[in-house]
Amino acid sequence: MGLRQRAVAGLRESWQSSHALLLLPLALIVAIMVVDIHSPESIHLGPALVIAPALTSSFAGPRLSSLIGALAVIAQIIIAVLHGGLGTTNHIVQILTLFVLSVMIVVYCAIRDRHREQLAQVRSVAEAAQHVLLWPLPEHIGPLRVACLYLAAEDEAQIGGDLYAATRADSRVRVLIGDVRGKGLSAIGEAALLLGAFREAGHRQSSLPDLAATLEQSVTRYLADFEPPEELGERFATALLMEIPDGDPITRMTSCGHPPPLLLSPGHVVTVPSVHPAPPMGIGSAHPGDYHLDVFSFEPGDTLLLYTDGVIEARDAAGRFYPLADRAAQWTEECPETLLHRIRRDLLSHTGGRLDDDAALIALRRTPSVHHGRPHPRIIHADGFRHRPQNQPQGG
């Protein structure tokens, strides 16, 4: 079902629900009017009629609220005629008071609906910005099955300072996940710049250190032109660059101050690869030699879980950080989509439904594939990872 069809269906369902609820204030008006008419003249239930338009405003707009308000005023007039006379001071005051309160309720409804329309426009713009800047990752790319998740800290924003992207470069997949300092709309400029630079340079640079140096140059130029004087030296971005070759069960990684990924293996095994991070982009050097290339095993059936610090720094009511590695160990057998679904639900439960910082996650599952040709030799290191010897080429 398309977006327009879902919107029409939602409006139709809302209209039907509002008209069904309308029976309650109508019944309330009739009941109060009948009881008041048959009560002694010393008892006046007419003021309770204001409940009907007030109740209607909770689920309907100004038109229906004004209709119920008008019916309430008419019911009050009928009560006055049949229960002591229309000309009595008490009834005149009740009628005028009910009329004024009903008008105030209708005005409130109109203001509320206008704010709702403005909020819908803001959300629409945020959604459009998300689709333009943060392209959804494909479900399958190269030898990988992919799932991604973005949770914005600001209520009215669907994108902020966290970012991710993936691209094909020859016979390999390159992935970027990053975190711009700050959150929400104020960090979108740097995020957009970093994403654009990665999509352009990801195909051209031969190695991840070269790619990292290119991204660093782009961020440095941007900050030189647009960084506010009062924030000089305080704007930067962490980033993790990964390269997964199609025919070799390894992963190459270059970190720029970003948290290392988690390697989820069958049997509820979670490993944190050893990384040698460079400084974050925007405060470090742009020379390729300043970036280290880490290589570790990534076998078919394994899942790489990439994340931003908004996940691991999320706190519960007692101030405890979210234990991502411990929780992910429960779901190492799950497919990427289910894994992120479980983490999302568990993370929001941990924080009480609200995050203090933007959070992004990517799950990459290497699918089994047939390898042709002579396999590359590997060395088993003390950390348990299988690395390609240094004299092997870096290309996929």
Side-chain angles (χ1 to χ4, degrees):
M1 181 182 293
L3 180 61
R4 184 175 181 179
Q5 291 176 321
R6 289 197 299 269
V8 172
L11 289 174
R12 184 183 298 111
E13 182 178 352
S14 176
W15 184 87
Q16 292 174 347
S17 176
S18 298
H19 283 69
L21 291 173
L22 200 60
L23 295 176
L24 182 59
L26 288 174
L28 186 63
I29 291 174
V30 173
I32 292 175
M33 182 177 64
V34 171
V35 173
D36 199 345
I37 290 174
H38 292 84
S39 298
E41 292 187 5
S42 59
I43 297 177
H44 301 280
L45 299 179
L49 287 170
V50 74
I51 299 175
L55 182 63
T56 304
S57 67
S58 66
F59 60 84
R63 291 186 178 181
L64 287 179
S65 297
S66 60
L67 173 62
I68 295 300
L71 293 177
V73 172
I74 293 174
Q76 180 63 63
I77 294 174
I78 295 175
I79 292 173
V81 172
L82 301 178
H83 197 238
L86 182 60
T88 62
T89 303
N90 186 36
H91 284 148
I92 292 176
V93 171
Q94 290 182 27
I95 293 172
L96 291 176
T97 302
L98 181 58
F99 174 78
V100 171
L101 290 176
S102 297
V103 171
M104 293 176 62
I105 290 172
V106 172
V107 172
Y108 161 77
C109 285
I111 296 175
R112 182 197 61 192
D113 285 2
R114 182 179 179 182
H115 287 170
R116 283 181 177 176
E117 292 177 359
Q118 293 174 343
L119 179 59
Q121 292 177 352
V122 170
R123 287 177 174 170
S124 177
V125 171
E127 184 177 0
Q130 184 180 37
H131 285 293
V132 171
L133 299 179
L134 204 61
W135 300 345
L137 300 183
E139 294 182 2
H140 296 273
I141 179 170
L144 305 176
R145 183 173 178 181
V146 183
C148 56
L149 173 66
Y150 196 103
L151 298 172
E154 294 190 0
D155 293 335
E156 311 310 332
Q158 298 186 28
I159 184 174
D162 290 6
L163 56 103
Y164 52 73
T167 185
R168 289 284 288 168
D170 298 327
S171 58
R172 55 196 170 181
V173 178
R174 283 182 168 174
V175 180
L176 163 70
I177 187 168
D179 184 3
V180 174
R181 183 182 181 274
K183 63 181 181 179
L185 299 178
S186 62
I188 287 183
E190 291 95 323
L193 169 87
L194 197 53
L195 285 170
F198 172 78
R199 289 166 183 153
E200 176 62 25
H203 301 274
R204 297 187 289 104
Q205 299 300 332
S206 58
S207 69
L208 292 186
D210 290 335
L211 177 57
T214 300
L215 299 183
E216 166 69 26
Q217 292 172 357
S218 298
V219 172
T220 302
R221 285 195 300 267
Y222 176 86
L223 294 179
D225 293 334
F226 299 103
E227 186 176 24
E230 63 273 12
E231 297 184 10
L232 187 64
E234 297 182 5
R235 303 286 287 271
F236 58 86
T238 66
L240 183 68
L241 297 167
M242 306 199 73
E243 182 178 274
I244 300 121
D246 292 354
D248 202 356
I250 62 170
T251 293
R252 305 182 184 96
M253 176 174 59
T254 294
S255 173
C256 300
H258 198 83
L262 300 180
L263 180 64
L264 314 183
S265 302
H268 305 285
V269 177
V270 177
T271 310
V272 181
S274 177
V275 299
H276 302 80
M281 295 181 178
I283 62 176
S285 172
H287 192 276
D290 296 329
Y291 300 98
H292 194 276
L293 184 66
D294 295 291
V295 186
F296 58 93
S297 176
F298 184 31
E299 301 285 348
D302 290 346
T303 300
L304 274 172
L305 183 61
L306 286 61
Y307 54 91
T308 59
D309 59 9
V311 178
I312 57 176
E313 294 180 359
R315 298 174 183 262
D316 62 8
R320 294 184 294 258
F321 291 114
Y322 179 68
L324 177 62
D326 294 339
R327 302 297 174 85
Q330 307 174 45
W331 308 308
T332 58
E333 311 289 341
E334 303 286 359
C335 67
E337 296 84 357
T338 304
L339 171 65
L340 294 192
H341 172 74
R342 293 186 182 278
I343 292 176
R344 177 186 184 276
R345 185 172 58 184
D346 190 58
L347 175 62
L348 293 178
S349 175
H350 178 83
T351 60
R354 183 179 180 84
L355 298 176
D356 293 328
D357 194 8
D358 300 325
L361 298 105
I362 305 176
L364 307 170
R365 168 73 61 87
R366 181 183 279 278
T367 57
S369 59
V370 179
H371 304 287
H372 301 284
R374 182 181 177 181
H376 294 290
R378 297 178 177 85
I379 298 175
I380 305 298
H381 285 258
D383 59 4
F385 291 108
R386 293 184 292 179
H387 296 256
R388 182 195 301 278
Q390 294 298 320
N391 58 354
Q392 291 293 328
Q394 295 177 0

